[in-house]
Amino acid sequence: MSPDDLEIWLSHFEYHAQGPRRLPSGLPDRLTPLERRLIASSIATFQLGEQSEGGTLLRAARRFAAAHELPALIRITELFIREEQRHAALLRDFMADHAIPLKTRDWTDRVFRRLRRLAGLELYLHVLICAELIGNVYYRALESATGCQRLKVLCRTLVAEELAHVGFESQLLLAMRARRPALVQVLMRATHRAFFAGTAAIVWVTHGALLRHCGYNARSFLRMCLAQYAFYLEPVEVLLAAARQP
Ligand SMILES: [Fe+2]
Ligand SMILES: [Fe+2]
């Protein structure tokens, strides 16, 4: 990614930091007992996933920025972490108002955090973008599962910001990957796609009740997740497939 691209992303994150999206006050905020039962454990897991001090990511970004002379990356990462913390706070406030207990641990969250700590920025982003792409499918499903206006707007707010996150991360990842030898690129792509599909399968198993309620089955959920993956991380393949359409 060029320094000019990074400047564009920096201005995006600065702009949103100056005027963070807020939920309008006074939105109808009624969650039926059935909805609450359906979403409570699931939303708590995603709230936990949004919550991070960001220390590992920031250290990795600092090292990468120093090695590649990309100082803007540090500020972008700080603002990105702040947005994620705001997501966690928005979900936490909603859960508190509806007496939904917070989770302090979850095995899927623990696995993701351990993986992200393993190496540098590139591996961290590979893991993170999987969670965010699947999160976008999940938040859209959650929006459709409820009649609660506050929760609907909350989901839309999260998706709007996550779309920018995955845009930024995918551009950075594809630029990092392009510097590798061709064979390594092929192996990385195949490994990452398999990891992504495995992660989506775990999300299906652990959040299946809610996702089934939204009309998904295992196949359609995986297909939706893989379509998101292809759009951001296999842009050339998506364009070629579109060109082949009659
Ligand atoms: Fe987030
Ligand atoms: Fe995000």
Side-chain angles (χ1 to χ4, degrees), residues 39-61:
I39 71 168
S41 168
S42 177
I43 199 173
T45 304
F46 273 81
Q47 194 279 337
L48 184 61
E50 296 277 3
Q51 197 170 279
S52 171
E53 291 301 312
T56 308
L57 174 57
L58 200 51
R59 278 191 295 279

Side-chain angles (χ1 to χ4, degrees), residues 50 84 87 162:
E50 296 277 3
E84 295 297 9
H87 294 176
E162 294 298 350

Side-chain angles (χ1 to χ4, degrees), residues 242-246:
R244 280 196 293 268
Q245 299 267 329

Side-chain angles (χ1 to χ4, degrees), residues 8-231:
I8 291 172
W9 281 113
L10 179 58
S11 69
H12 165 89
F13 281 101
E14 292 280 15
Y15 180 79
H16 285 279
Q18 283 158 17
R21 289 187 174 91
R22 298 190 194 288
L23 300 196
S25 56
L27 285 171
D29 191 15
R30 192 179 122 66
L31 200 62
T32 67
L34 180 71
E35 286 175 349
R36 188 182 172 285
R37 263 201 311 281
L38 188 67
I39 71 168
S41 168
S42 177
I43 199 173
T45 304
F46 273 81
Q47 194 279 337
L48 184 61
E50 296 277 3
Q51 197 170 279
S52 171
E53 291 301 312
T56 308
L57 174 57
L58 200 51
R59 278 191 295 279
R62 283 199 185 116
R63 279 198 302 274
F64 189 88
H68 296 85
E69 296 179 15
L70 297 168
L73 186 62
I74 298 171
R75 179 70 180 149
I76 291 172
T77 306
E78 288 169 355
L79 295 170
F80 168 88
I81 291 167
R82 217 183 285 170
E83 277 194 7
E84 295 297 9
Q85 289 170 344
R86 211 167 44 241
H87 294 176
L90 285 170
L91 287 164
R92 188 177 57 233
D93 292 348
F94 175 82
M95 290 166 64
D97 290 347
H98 292 277
I100 296 174
L102 289 170
K103 279 188 185 174
T104 53
R105 61 177 64 185
D106 180 88
W107 73 268
T108 52
D109 183 69
R110 206 160 48 239
V111 169
F112 259 73
R113 282 177 202 268
R114 292 231 169 112
L115 280 175
R116 288 190 315 226
R117 274 192 219 122
L118 281 180
L121 183 65
E122 194 168 5
L123 179 66
Y124 192 108
L125 292 178
H126 271 108
V127 176
L128 178 64
I129 199 168
C130 290
E132 297 195 316
L133 286 167
I134 297 167
N136 275 344
V137 178
Y138 170 84
Y139 287 128
R140 285 179 172 134
L142 183 59
E143 180 193 345
S144 76
T146 181
C148 173
Q149 278 307 310
R150 179 181 171 193
L151 183 55
K152 281 179 177 293
V153 175
L154 172 51
C155 289
R156 273 183 235 142
T157 304
L158 298 184
V159 169
E161 295 193 344
E162 294 298 350
L163 287 175
H165 292 183
V166 293
F168 168 66
E169 290 154 14
S170 59
Q171 197 180 357
L172 191 52
L173 278 172
L174 291 175
M176 287 169 157
R177 198 180 287 171
R179 294 175 307 148
R180 311 264 186 198
L183 180 62
V184 176
Q185 289 187 40
V186 170
L187 288 174
M188 284 177 80
R189 196 179 309 155
T191 308
H192 189 230
R193 198 173 186 280
F195 174 76
F196 177 83
T199 306
I202 290 169
V203 170
W204 170 258
V205 170
T206 49
H207 300 267
L210 172 63
L211 294 168
R212 268 191 299 274
H213 177 84
C214 301
Y216 280 115
N217 58 37
R219 183 186 290 232
S220 62
F221 177 70
L222 193 61
R223 199 168 53 229
M224 178 61 85
C225 289
L226 286 171
Q228 292 284 316
Y229 182 91
F231 182 82

